Amino acid sequence: MTDVSAKGPLQGETYYKFGIIGYPLGHSLSSVMHTAALKDLGLNGEYNALETEPEDLVDRIKMLKRDNYFGFNVTIPHKVPISLFLSKVDEYANLAGSVNTVKILEDKSLEGFNTDIYGFIKPIENLDLKGKKAAILGTGGAARGVVVGLKSLGVSEIDFYTRNIIDSHGVIEGFRQKFPEIKINLIQNEFLKTLEDCAIVVNTTPLGMKGKYADVSPLAENIVKTLPDSGLVYDIVYNPIKTELIKNAISAGKEYIGGLDMLVYQGARAFEIWTGKAPDIDKMKIAALEKLLDS
């Protein structure tokens, strides 16, 4: 592949430049993960956190092309609007209607990917969900990728729980049209009394996240207890490592997965898209853990 990067420490050596765009970015662990991957593979490069407000998106993309970036990650609030600048997208991005990874090609065109879905699926790829029912907490942007992931694993029915039925109706209708083979139900949070018929429950809300929601769980322990013995609690929040929901799952004796695994796997997939090289997942996870514990 022709080297389209800036010159590294040695003339002619490939210098990998990556970054993440979004606003705000104070919580991002992407830089430490990708820096660890570069170091482990002996690659020269850098990964930069590039705070980008919505009105600056066009200028930021111009900068990324001009400064010879290989690619970049995309987070809130740009995961949907970035599609306006892409020449093509992968299947996951097309199904979810959102992009979190962009590769800058040699002709400076942009190719979009959704590695969030890959990251979500990877920790549960051996879980038997075919023909089973799932519950998703929240109907926001993060829920898009989760639906696609669960669909690919063969779930036949999904209960969506939301604070506001009216605001969520349009999103759910979109899911129903896109995935007619899945029975999709929209339910007010207050009516969630049991998860006894669900194989997995996924939290896509910010409840439990470090900050103002840190001490809040989207599910009370008595509700978590109703999940079948074989059921799984999956919280995509990764900071803190053990959210209130995960603590409830532990108290209830249920299997659980936190958001850190999803974060690391999506990052590793993005790194491979940009470089063609598979990074060490464990090295990336350790770097992210160290950053979390220091924060």
Side-chain angles (χ1 to χ4, degrees):
M1 185 178 75
T2 303
D3 180 11
V4 297
S5 67
K7 294 299 181 185
L10 299 176
Q11 188 173 7
E13 183 179 15
T14 300
Y15 189 74
Y16 294 95
K17 290 180 74 172
F18 316 124
I20 181 170
I21 65 170
Y23 188 84
L25 288 178
H27 65 288
S28 178
L29 298 176
S30 295
S31 182
V32 295
M33 289 196 306
H34 287 284
T35 299
L38 286 165
K39 182 179 179 181
D40 181 62
L41 289 169
L43 303 176
N44 287 301
E46 61 189 81
Y47 187 104
N48 301 305
L50 305 166
E51 286 207 330
T52 306
E53 296 189 55
E55 60 268 26
D56 298 324
L57 182 57
V58 173
D59 288 338
R60 177 64 74 194
I61 291 171
K62 289 179 180 177
M63 184 226 86
L64 290 161
K65 292 181 178 182
R66 183 185 66 242
D67 291 359
N68 297 317
Y69 276 72
F70 272 59
F72 55 97
N73 287 127
V74 184
T75 189
I76 296 170
H78 306 310
K79 287 187 176 186
V80 175
I82 191 67
S83 62
L84 297 173
F85 305 91
L86 306 176
S87 58
K88 59 179 178 177
V89 297
D90 75 341
E91 182 183 3
Y92 279 161
N94 185 48
L95 285 171
S98 66
V99 166
N100 78 302
T101 297
V102 175
K103 182 176 183 178
I104 301 178
L105 305 179
E106 291 183 38
D107 64 358
K108 300 298 183 180
S109 64
L110 305 180
E111 184 174 0
F113 302 82
N114 190 310
T115 66
D116 282 334
I117 299 170
Y118 174 87
F120 171 75
I121 293 172
K122 195 64 178 173
I124 58 172
E125 62 184 355
N126 294 320
L127 187 66
D128 180 17
L129 293 177
K130 193 170 182 61
K132 296 183 179 178
K133 185 177 182 179
I136 297 178
L137 311 177
T139 59
R144 295 184 183 205
V146 170
V147 173
V148 177
L150 291 174
K151 186 258 183 189
S152 71
L153 293 172
V155 300
S156 59
E157 185 173 357
I158 299 175
D159 285 345
F160 275 93
Y161 290 93
T162 181
R163 291 179 304 167
N164 192 313
I165 291 282
I166 295 174
D167 288 351
S168 302
H169 184 73
V171 173
I172 297 303
E173 282 305 309
F175 289 151
R176 286 171 176 155
Q177 290 176 22
K178 191 167 284 190
F179 308 114
E181 67 275 29
I182 301 176
K183 183 181 179 183
I184 295 178
N185 312 302
L186 180 60
I187 306 165
Q188 191 85 18
N189 283 345
E190 288 75 11
F191 294 105
L192 173 49
K193 304 299 181 185
T194 181
L195 295 166
E196 61 186 7
D197 56 350
C198 294
I200 184 173
V201 56
V202 185
N203 176 40
T204 71
T205 78
L207 297 181
M209 188 181 295
K210 184 177 180 180
K212 66 179 181 177
Y213 299 120
D215 298 325
V216 182
S217 172
L219 289 178
E221 185 181 338
N222 66 304
I223 300 296
V224 177
K225 283 182 177 178
T226 67
L227 197 66
D229 291 340
S230 59
L232 178 74
V233 175
Y234 196 147
D235 194 345
I236 71 169
V237 173
Y238 61 81
N239 189 7
I241 298 167
K242 286 187 178 178
T243 61
E244 290 301 309
L245 176 57
I246 295 300
K247 291 176 184 177
N248 285 346
I250 293 170
S251 296
K254 303 301 180 183
E255 293 293 322
Y256 66 89
I257 292 175
L260 187 60
D261 285 341
M262 175 179 170
L263 178 76
V264 173
Y265 278 117
Q266 69 79 23
R269 178 68 185 127
F271 189 93
E272 190 170 2
I273 287 168
W274 295 327
T275 67
K277 304 175 191 299
D280 187 315
I281 299 289
D282 291 335
K283 296 279 177 60
M284 295 181 76
K285 188 172 183 177
I286 289 168
L289 274 170
E290 289 176 344
K291 179 68 173 178
L292 280 174
L293 293 173
D294 286 344
S295 63

